[in-house]
């Protein structure tokens, strides 16, 4: 893994109790950042903190439902309380509703509330801190379904398209203030969210076949893109939805 030179920096990661969020939290720590780990899954979040501390890093956990503005405000405040500042934020928390009727208003509302409104609430609070510091970097988790259509997941597709648009908005709004805002757009990745599908051999083979590289991606591969986008190596990159999909959207 690459060291992106984040010594002395502070990173916040939502949805860090497993999957891409945990991989990103560990990658930030390996590059020297102190990490505020957040999730609604307290057990998973604290396990991520333990993994970071086991590799010699610094981390703290804060429970947060990103669809609740008061909890988001408390989460960002916790990062500053524990570590003194906030330099990098990865707004990764999200849900999918593979087996649900996403035209049902309750299902639709929950997906939009977490996947899109949650990102907005996080960006708003993170930027407020970063503006007082003179800069920072924010990365949001979108999806390849934020760039292309999907006939079976209307709420997920709508929310992730919204994240891409919100990312571009933030990039333009805060460009002159030194805050860069980008997104990652993962393809089919092996995570706890996809685990029920991967457990079925025929489904695993189907998912592998959907990617030109012939396999599903790993959470660590997305995490590397996230940390790079937050590092000085990406100092002229903002408003960019970075695809990490093994070529799926190149077809």
């Amino acid at each position: 893994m690459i060291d992106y030179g984040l010594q002395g920096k502070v990173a916040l990661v939502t949805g860090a109790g497993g999957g891409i969020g945990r991989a990103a939290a560990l990658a930030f720590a390996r590059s020297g950042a102190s990490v505020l780990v957040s999730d609604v899954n307290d057990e998973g979040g604290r396990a991520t903190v333990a993994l970071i501390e086991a590799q010699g890093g610094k981390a703290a956990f804060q429970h947060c439902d990103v669809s609740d503005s008061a909890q988001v405000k408390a989460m960002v405040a916790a990062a500053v309380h524990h570590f003194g500042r906030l330099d990098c934020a990865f707004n990764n928390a999200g849900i999918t509703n593979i087996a649900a009727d996403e035209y049902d208003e309750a299902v639709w509302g929950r997906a939009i509330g977490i996947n899109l409104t949650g990102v907005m609430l996080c960006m708003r609070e993170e930027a407020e801190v970063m503006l007082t510091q003179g800069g920072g970097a924010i990365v949001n988790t979108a999806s390849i379904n934020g760039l292309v259509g999907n006939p079976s997941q209307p709420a997920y597709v709508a929310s992730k398209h919204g994240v891409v648009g919100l990312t571009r908005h933030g990039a333009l709004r805060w460009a002159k203030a030194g805050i860069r805002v980008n997104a990652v757009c993962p393809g089919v990745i092996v995570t706890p969210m996809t685990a029920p599908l991967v457990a079925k051999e025929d489904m695993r083979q189907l998912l592998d076949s959907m990617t030109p590289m012939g396999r599903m991606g790993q959470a660590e591969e997305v995490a590397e893109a996230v940390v790079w986008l937050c590092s000085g190596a990406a100092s002229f990159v903002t408003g960019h939805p970075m695809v990490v999909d093994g070529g799926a959207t190149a077809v």
Side-chain angles (χ1 to χ4, degrees):
M1 299 293 182
I2 298 171
D3 183 338
Y4 292 96
L6 298 178
Q7 290 76 14
K9 302 293 186 181
V10 176
L12 183 162
V13 182
T14 69
I20 293 171
R22 173 175 287 175
L26 289 166
F28 275 119
R30 280 194 300 270
S31 285
S34 299
V35 186
L36 194 287
V37 171
S38 177
D39 207 300
V40 292
N41 176 358
D42 293 3
E43 182 178 355
R46 292 195 174 99
T48 299
V49 170
L51 289 169
I52 290 171
E53 291 176 340
Q55 67 180 25
K58 296 180 180 178
F61 174 71
Q62 178 75 17
H63 177 97
C64 183
D65 174 350
V66 297
S67 67
D68 183 317
S69 60
Q71 291 189 40
V72 171
K73 186 179 288 290
M75 173 187 66
V76 173
V80 177
H81 170 74
H82 284 289
F83 304 117
R85 56 187 295 112
L86 179 62
D87 302 286
C88 311
F90 179 33
N91 300 319
N92 170 69
I95 60 170
T96 187
N97 297 296
I98 294 172
D101 176 7
E102 293 190 59
Y103 283 112
D104 176 85
E105 291 179 27
V107 175
W108 173 275
R110 185 166 182 266
I112 297 299
I114 295 173
N115 292 353
L116 180 55
T117 303
V119 170
M120 180 276 289
L121 294 173
C122 289
M123 282 176 54
R124 184 179 71 184
E125 299 301 324
E126 293 154 0
E128 185 174 329
V129 174
M130 291 175 181
L131 286 168
T132 67
Q133 299 172 172
I138 296 171
V139 177
N140 301 319
T141 294
S143 167
I144 58 172
N145 285 311
L147 301 172
V148 298
N150 179 329
S152 63
Q153 295 178 281
Y156 186 77
V157 170
S159 67
K160 293 303 185 178
H161 271 72
V163 169
V164 172
L166 186 60
T167 296
R168 288 172 170 152
H169 155 78
L172 295 174
R173 178 167 184 164
W174 295 310
K176 288 185 171 62
I179 301 174
R180 297 184 299 103
V181 186
N182 293 288
V184 284
C185 298
V188 184
I189 309 296
V190 179
T191 67
M193 189 180 288
T194 59
L197 298 177
V198 175
K200 304 172 183 177
E201 182 59 29
D202 58 339
M203 184 58 69
R204 175 60 185 258
Q205 291 177 2
L206 175 62
L207 292 171
D208 285 344
S209 71
M210 290 168 61
T211 303
M213 290 180 69
R215 65 172 177 85
M216 297 175 69
Q218 298 297 315
E220 291 76 14
E221 294 174 302
V222 181
E224 290 294 307
V226 171
V227 181
W228 179 81
L229 284 168
C230 285
S231 76
S235 57
F236 201 54
V237 181
T238 194
H240 178 52
M242 177 174 284
V243 175
V244 186
D245 70 348
T249 54
V251 175

